[in-house]
Amino acid sequence: MQRSTVRLVLSITRRHQRVSSEAVSRFSVNRPLPAISRRWRSGAANNKAWKEDGPEHGRKHEIYKTAEGKDSYDWRGIAVPVALVSLAAILIYIVNESGARFPSKTGSESNAHNLNSILPLDNLQAPWHNTTISNLQEAREEFVDLLGDNGVNDIHGELLAHSSTEWSPALKSTDHPALIVYPASTEDVSKIVKICHRRRIPITGFSGGTSLEGALAATFGGICVDFKMMDKILALHKRDMDVVVQPAVGWEALNVELAKDDLFFPPDPGPGAQIGGMVGTGCSGTNAYRYGTMKDWVISLTVVLADGTIIKTRHRPRKSTAGYDLGRLFVGSGGTLGLVTEAVLKITAKPKNVQVAVAAFPSSHNAVETVVKLVQHGVMVAAVEMLDAVTMKAINQSGFANREWSETPTLFFKFSGTSQGVQEDIALVKKWAKETGCTNFETSQNPTEIEALWSARKTALWSLLAMKRDSNDKFLSADVAVPLSRLADIIEETKEKIEESGLLGSTLGHVGDGTQPPNLVRQSLTRVGNFHTTVLYGEKDRQIAEGIIKTVQKRGIEMEGTVTGEHGIGLTFRDALNSELGDDTLAAMRTIKSALDPLCLLNCDKIIRMQTAQ
């Protein structure tokens, strides 16, 4: 570091016009300083007498004599270099005392000093963390001082449960945190992160634990920040139609409270999901056809960055062009860029006159054609979900539903609005369904019956898991989304692929999801078909199951779709993301990651690889 400082000073020296090239060459940091040149000169007669410096340097020295006859050195040629070397010594002292340092060429922080617009994986320094027992033990003591004994947990079973679930298993049994901490405020989170930043301890956030694709796995160990103590609704602004919540507020509990004021928060992913996790995955749900996805309902976020800095992305107005839209950057980032501690969310009026319809079809193509007609005519139903024949059979066998269903591809519709508008929409949907081959169409407006009908959709995954051929069987899933016109094609291809494999699997999904909340121009929503492929397998058939998922993702990309519509990339879809977007786009994302988290502490290696595959 000192040598770098001297080189910096000498680079300035070389530009100084008063310094000769001979003087500069003598001040190399790589060799001893030679003898100073001297010039001999007679002061009275001004007659110069030259003398060789010696066989080593062969340089001419000049000394002049004063009026008293004494020798005197001419310092003018070397005064500036001497002064600059002195300045370098002072700079070295200041740098050492302040603890500052020049960019290192090793270690993960060097990635933040990349001068290119993108950061390719090949140019990346592998993250370096300190997860030694001694460092973690010392950190634990600091966490206890901050949060109390009940604020820190190292029970092995809890550590495993916070990193691996049946629906999202960790890739390795060692992929779990060493500690779990439970902050109660944004300030607590900031202090926790500052401790980890100082000690270089990696961090994984936990809010609900319902996410998929290995998002919970602590691949670098470290600590897990569980937000369960931050589960409060902080403010409800009824006149402004927004609500301020902490990350552990569940969407179901939020809607129970909002319903008291006839209000509603639309995103509805799986049961148990919480706002922090919903922001992290950029989730969706069954209401996406009418209301859009999570990103459409976030106004502002309070985020703790990787060094403990607290930022707020915006104030509460729904309309703002103040700077970069950082809120959208954090939605879907999977906890890799910051930890969300508060969210300002849009809310809307609770749907009125809710009714549900269920329509059975002979094939997926028939079912999708009905939805295409809905979209083309701008009919704004509240939700449209499609379940294939295998899923309907699983629902019948599981006992979760209280009735028997036709075991064919089935559409589930939800309607809301004015009483007259709902009846008109139901009549149109029924007409188009019959035109496209619907074999059975039934509706209900009774709240109990509506709950029974819609519960069949909400319990579909659990129904399928109940059909395991062996209790040790596992499952893999895909979350592909394609343009609506290609949905039936990819579903039929997937069905054939599963049948050929001999494994048990199914498809279900959100048909015609919208990408933004509706406005007066109903047809303005871009529609996609987002469906989930689930494959059950025994360990001996793992490669076959993985092959099915990769094929579905490849076909989705070829159809100009995406490998994930709502689950997120997590750990398992990283390479699929590369196939979809390409090296340079991922390198641009890597630049953002390195800028906000140069030590790669936050959910490191999720979404995009931060080191080459091991």
Side-chain angles (χ1 to χ4, degrees):
M1 184 272 298
Q2 290 90 338
R3 176 167 292 186
S4 299
T5 306
V6 175
R7 285 198 179 106
L8 176 64
V9 174
L10 289 180
S11 69
I12 300 172
T13 304
R14 291 186 180 95
R15 297 186 183 95
H16 203 290
Q17 294 180 353
R18 295 178 58 191
V19 182
S20 67
S21 60
E22 178 183 340
V24 172
S25 67
R26 287 168 169 260
F27 281 81
S28 169
V29 297
N30 294 317
R31 60 190 179 90
L33 191 67
I36 299 176
S37 297
R38 298 174 295 175
R39 287 180 288 178
W40 292 72
R41 185 171 59 186
S42 170
N46 200 28
N47 294 322
K48 296 182 179 179
W50 299 97
K51 180 181 179 181
E52 293 296 322
D53 192 27
E56 180 180 355
H57 300 294
R59 300 189 185 279
K60 296 178 180 179
H61 291 183
E62 186 178 1
I63 292 182
Y64 67 92
K65 294 186 178 292
T66 64
E68 292 78 14
K70 297 180 179 180
D71 288 350
S72 179
Y73 297 99
D74 186 351
W75 293 92
R76 290 172 295 176
I78 47 80
V80 172
V82 169
L84 288 174
V85 170
S86 300
L87 177 60
I90 294 172
L91 286 175
I92 291 170
Y93 175 81
I94 293 173
V95 167
N96 284 335
E97 289 300 309
S98 66
R101 57 187 173 192
F102 289 96
S104 172
K105 295 302 181 183
T106 60
S108 56
E109 66 264 23
S110 67
N111 300 325
H113 301 285
N114 174 51
L115 299 181
N116 297 320
S117 297
I118 62 174
L119 188 57
L121 188 59
D122 292 342
N123 294 354
L124 214 59
Q125 297 288 339
W128 180 82
H129 303 132
N130 186 353
T131 54
T132 59
I133 294 176
S134 59
N135 193 45
L136 289 168
Q137 183 59 41
E138 291 171 3
R140 188 187 195 284
E141 294 173 1
E142 292 191 61
F143 295 142
V144 170
D145 289 342
L146 173 65
L147 306 172
D149 290 331
N150 293 331
V152 183
N153 186 352
D154 58 4
I155 298 174
H156 188 67
E158 291 289 329
L159 300 179
L160 295 178
H162 278 68
S163 57
S164 184
T165 62
E166 182 182 3
W167 50 90
S168 184
L171 298 183
K172 296 184 294 184
S173 60
T174 55
D175 289 346
H176 62 77
L179 297 171
I180 304 169
V181 294
Y182 304 99
S185 67
T186 296
E187 290 69 27
D188 283 351
V189 177
S190 175
K191 291 174 183 177
I192 289 168
V193 172
K194 285 180 179 178
I195 292 171
C196 291
H197 186 265
R198 172 164 45 84
R199 293 183 172 277
R200 299 184 77 128
I201 297 173
I203 303 166
T204 306
F206 185 94
S207 180
T210 62
S211 60
L212 299 166
E213 321 314 344
L216 300 176
T219 53
F220 287 83
I223 72 163
C224 171
V225 178
D226 186 336
F227 290 99
K228 73 174 186 178
M229 303 296 292
M230 299 176 65
D231 60 351
K232 297 176 181 60
I233 299 174
L234 300 177
L236 172 60
H237 306 110
K238 302 175 189 177
R239 292 169 62 85
D240 298 326
M241 301 293 279
D242 68 57
V243 63
V244 185
V245 300
Q246 290 183 312
V249 172
W251 66 270
E252 296 152 303
L254 176 60
N255 273 323
V256 169
E257 291 300 313
L258 293 177
K260 297 175 182 178
D261 295 292
D262 212 26
L263 298 172
F264 176 58
F265 178 67
D268 63 333
Q274 297 174 353
I275 297 301
M278 293 165 66
V279 170
T281 57
C283 74
S284 181
T286 63
N287 290 324
Y289 184 97
R290 180 164 191 160
Y291 295 102
T293 63
M294 187 66 184
K295 69 179 184 299
D296 302 309
W297 293 88
V298 175
I299 297 174
S300 173
L301 298 171
T302 299
V303 183
V304 175
L305 301 181
D307 64 351
T309 301
I310 302 170
I311 67 168
K312 187 167 184 175
T313 59
R314 278 209 172 152
H315 289 302
R316 290 195 297 115
R318 296 193 178 203
K319 180 180 181 181
S320 173
T321 57
Y324 297 130
D325 191 350
L326 293 180
R328 288 289 182 105
L329 179 63
F330 288 106
V331 174
S333 66
T336 62
L337 303 180
L339 299 177
V340 174
T341 60
E342 288 182 19
V344 182
L345 307 173
K346 302 174 189 176
I347 52 179
T348 189
K350 184 179 179 182
K352 304 291 193 300
N353 303 303
V354 176
Q355 293 194 38
V356 169
V358 180
F361 294 85
S363 74
S364 299
H365 278 281
N366 296 97
V368 170
E369 190 59 32
T370 300
V371 181
V372 170
K373 287 180 178 291
L374 261 70
V375 173
Q376 290 176 338
H377 289 83
V379 175
M380 190 56 63
V381 299
V384 186
E385 298 289 297
M386 185 169 76
L387 280 62
D388 70 356
V390 174
T391 307
M392 297 306 296
K393 180 179 180 179
I395 292 171
N396 284 337
Q397 293 184 0
S398 68
F400 290 136
N402 59 0
R403 55 158 295 174
E404 197 78 11
W405 296 94
S406 173
E407 296 178 0
T408 61
T410 303
L411 289 178
F412 288 72
F413 299 93
K414 188 183 288 185
F415 303 86
S416 65
T418 65
S419 179
Q420 180 180 347
V422 168
Q423 295 307 316
E424 290 174 353
D425 286 348
I426 290 176
L428 285 171
V429 170
K430 184 175 183 179
K431 172 178 175 291
W432 292 325
K434 293 296 184 182
E435 290 176 355
T436 54
C438 173
T439 57
N440 183 53
F441 190 95
E442 57 182 293
T443 64
S444 178
Q445 58 185 9
N446 179 285
T448 302
E449 292 180 357
I450 289 173
E451 181 63 27
L453 290 174
W454 206 250
S455 68
R457 165 61 186 94
K458 280 297 188 180
T459 60
L461 175 59
W462 315 118
S463 298
L464 184 67
L465 293 179
M467 294 182 68
K468 287 181 177 180
R469 294 168 178 168
D470 185 280
S471 60
N472 294 320
D473 281 357
K474 300 176 182 178
F475 82 93
L476 291 175
S477 65
D479 176 39
V480 171
V482 296
L484 182 59
S485 62
R486 302 304 307 273
L487 180 60
D489 296 332
I490 195 169
I491 286 178
E492 290 297 328
E493 290 181 24
T494 302
K495 177 184 174 183
E496 293 175 4
K497 193 74 176 175
I498 293 173
E499 289 176 350
E500 290 173 2
S501 72
L503 300 180
L504 180 63
S506 71
T507 60
L508 59 91
H510 318 302
V511 191
D513 273 7
T515 61
Q516 60 184 13
N519 51 33
L520 293 178
V521 184
R522 288 183 170 186
Q523 293 88 339
S524 67
L525 275 74
T526 302
R527 298 295 180 181
V528 298
N530 180 201
F531 78 104
H532 309 305
T533 303
T534 303
V535 181
L536 301 176
Y537 68 95
E539 191 56 40
K540 63 182 180 63
D541 296 320
R542 168 180 273 278
Q543 290 187 343
I544 297 175
E546 290 176 343
I548 294 172
I549 298 302
K550 289 179 180 179
T551 299
V552 173
Q553 292 175 333
K554 181 174 181 292
R555 289 295 292 136
I557 294 170
E558 292 170 349
M559 293 179 180
E560 299 182 279
T562 177
V563 297
T564 177
E566 60 182 10
H567 291 171
I569 293 296
L571 194 65
T572 57
F573 289 170
R574 291 174 300 175
D575 295 332
L577 180 65
N578 189 73
S579 299
E580 178 180 335
L581 300 179
D583 291 339
D584 287 348
T585 301
L586 265 64
M589 294 182 185
R590 204 171 284 116
T591 303
I592 296 172
K593 166 68 172 174
S594 290
L596 291 177
D597 183 14
L599 299 183
C600 200
L601 298 179
L602 298 176
N603 220 1
C604 187
D605 230 18
K606 305 291 173 56
I607 301 181
I608 50 175
R609 291 187 182 275
M610 297 303 291
Q611 62 179 352
T612 54
Q614 301 299 311

